[in-house]
Amino acid sequence: MRQLHDLVRPNIWRLAPYSSARSEYSGHEAHVFLDANENPYNTLLNRYPDPLQTEVKQRLSKYKQVPPECIFLGNGSDEAIDLVYRIFCRPQVDNVVAIEPTYGMYKVCADINDVAYKPVLLDEHYQLNADRLLAACDKHTKVVWLCSPNNPSGNNLQVTEVEKVLSRFDGIIVIDEAYSDFSTVPTFRRRLAEFPNLIVLNTMSKAWGCAAIRLGMAFADKEIIGLFNKVKYPYNVNQLTQRQALEELDNIEAVEKWVSLILLERKRMLQAFKELPVCKEVFPTDANFFLARMTDAQGIYDYLVGKGIIVRNRTHIKLCNDCLRVTIGTKTENAELLSALREMQA
């Protein structure tokens, strides 16, 4: 790995972060708050939230088995994705390399930050070839984006190929593990000490059923997390989100039950789709969704919309011609989708 100093944008390395009112008295007990120009009324909502989400990180640390100082919390994973560009990539100078197809926000954030985005096509099984990906990197490549389980394909990338990238690329490597709770493959989050250039993303939107609260996570070496905290906006995670996250962390048994139910339904749906005349192929998945190649993805998508059933049409994405991405819903929702598709044959 190149020295962190050499990877970070010079202006970010020199940046003096905003000093929030809530961080300046850190380490002391207080009960009268006259520092932040807050309204003294409307208790519970009138105070600014903890800018570093200390209590949430301490609870997450026990569950995720990562030290609190190695955890960043953001307004969804998208905030962490954007911060990677703002911290490491100089506009119009540096570039990033990513697999294709994959989650679209990596490219959107590259475009927003005026950073060149270099996609490397996966093979026909949606698998990574480390040699091809590394060949696309040059001296200005600061970041490599990997997503495993990948979106929209749903499959885990082969661990051996990911390890090749981790051991041979000297910049920042981001592995987005948003769907890892639905997979049996060990998470790279447990290997942060082994790879100091690694950032692992996760979220409460998927397995935890909390897409509405917008809480994303990044796990990395504490120096990298320090840079995230330096650049982020002071109160990026609101008090309502922090409070709800703590409640959800008391509800782990329910989360585990939801994951089990989704995995059972996933198995049933994969088999059912394979038997549909309108389905040509169902791809293996390690996520809470699957990709299926249909006889006419656009026509089937339009038909389902007309019945009030929404799936994701991915036919215009590379390697996904005539493919629909289907999220695993409740047993009732899944049955309605299957019934509608079977009616097409009547």
Side-chain angles (χ1 to χ4, degrees):
M1 177 184 173
R2 281 171 274 179
Q3 293 296 313
L4 191 60
H5 176 276
D6 297 324
L7 290 170
V8 177
R9 289 170 54 183
N11 65 304
I12 297 300
W13 191 262
R14 297 189 302 265
L15 178 69
Y18 175 78
S19 179
S20 67
R22 287 296 175 265
S23 63
E24 290 179 355
Y25 71 92
S26 179
H28 298 276
E29 292 294 327
H31 64 279
V32 176
F33 296 98
L34 305 175
D35 58 338
N37 302 335
E38 299 154 322
N39 187 323
Y41 306 108
N42 199 23
T43 304
L44 298 181
L45 294 177
N46 62 325
R47 301 299 182 188
Y48 286 109
D50 176 2
L52 292 176
Q53 310 91 36
T54 305
E55 187 176 359
V56 181
K57 287 179 182 176
Q58 288 172 344
R59 294 282 299 281
L60 272 174
S61 174
K62 296 176 183 178
Y63 184 74
K64 298 289 186 179
Q65 298 184 335
V66 175
E69 63 269 22
C70 294
I71 302 174
F72 168 80
L73 298 180
N75 185 355
S77 296
D78 292 342
E79 181 180 6
I81 292 168
D82 184 59
L83 283 173
V84 168
Y85 285 99
R86 291 164 59 195
I87 292 167
F88 297 106
C89 299
R90 293 168 296 172
Q92 299 185 7
V93 176
D94 295 322
N95 66 69
V96 303
V97 170
I99 57 175
E100 185 175 33
T102 194
Y103 180 44
M105 279 303 295
Y106 312 142
K107 185 178 188 308
V108 169
C109 284
D111 293 342
I112 291 170
N113 287 280
D114 204 9
V115 173
Y117 183 91
K118 298 162 66 175
V120 177
L121 207 61
L122 298 173
D123 68 18
E124 66 273 19
H125 303 294
Y126 300 109
Q127 281 299 338
L128 164 70
N129 181 304
D131 292 331
R132 289 185 59 233
L133 184 138
L134 290 165
C137 300
D138 60 34
K139 66 179 182 179
H140 291 296
T141 304
K142 288 290 190 68
V143 179
V144 164
W145 293 98
L146 303 175
C147 185
S148 185
N150 192 26
N151 177 10
S153 55
N155 62 296
N156 277 306
L157 302 178
Q158 290 178 350
V159 172
T160 53
E161 292 299 295
V162 174
E163 288 174 335
K164 287 180 186 177
V165 179
L166 286 165
S167 62
R168 291 162 56 186
F169 180 63
D170 63 358
I172 298 296
I173 299 164
V174 184
I175 303 179
D176 191 339
E177 293 187 339
Y179 301 97
S180 60
D181 295 290
F182 304 101
S183 169
T184 58
V185 174
T187 171
F188 277 96
R189 181 181 71 246
R190 306 281 180 85
R191 303 177 66 179
L192 294 176
E194 187 179 348
F195 303 108
N197 56 336
L198 173 63
I199 299 172
V200 176
L201 304 182
N202 204 211
T203 179
M204 291 195 83
S205 294
K206 310 303 179 184
W208 291 78
C210 287
I213 74 172
R214 307 302 301 131
L215 188 66
M217 312 164 204
F219 306 97
D221 181 87
K222 65 179 181 180
E223 283 193 276
I224 293 177
I225 295 302
L227 289 164
F228 273 71
N229 290 330
K230 184 180 185 180
V231 176
K232 77 174 185 71
Y233 291 118
Y235 304 108
N236 61 321
V237 179
N238 69 69
Q239 184 61 41
L240 299 178
T241 290
Q242 292 187 46
R243 191 182 305 156
Q244 189 64 40
L246 290 170
E247 289 185 18
E248 298 301 329
L249 284 162
D250 285 331
N251 200 30
I252 291 173
E253 294 81 6
V255 174
E256 292 172 348
K257 179 181 178 181
W258 297 336
V259 170
S260 296
L261 290 171
I262 288 169
L263 293 179
L264 285 172
E265 280 298 292
R266 184 179 78 184
K267 181 178 180 181
R268 186 176 76 90
M269 289 293 286
L270 292 178
Q271 184 57 44
F273 256 70
K274 289 175 183 177
E275 297 169 1
L276 291 172
V278 294
C279 180
K280 297 166 68 175
E281 183 177 9
V282 180
F283 295 96
T285 182
D286 300 285
N288 67 329
F289 62 88
F290 62 93
L291 194 68
R293 196 176 306 280
M294 313 300 285
T295 53
D296 174 17
Q298 186 63 57
I300 294 170
Y301 174 82
D302 293 339
Y303 163 79
L304 290 173
V305 169
K307 288 187 167 289
I309 301 170
I310 311 301
V311 296
R312 198 76 188 271
N313 185 3
R314 301 283 78 187
T315 191
H316 300 300
I317 293 177
K318 287 186 178 179
L319 297 182
C320 297
N321 183 51
D322 263 331
C323 286
L324 298 179
R325 193 191 71 192
V326 181
T327 304
I328 304 300
T330 65
K331 190 168 187 177
T332 300
E333 291 170 330
N334 298 334
E336 185 172 349
L337 169 62
L338 290 172
S339 176
L341 292 172
R342 287 165 181 152
E343 286 176 6
M344 293 187 71
Q345 313 311 308

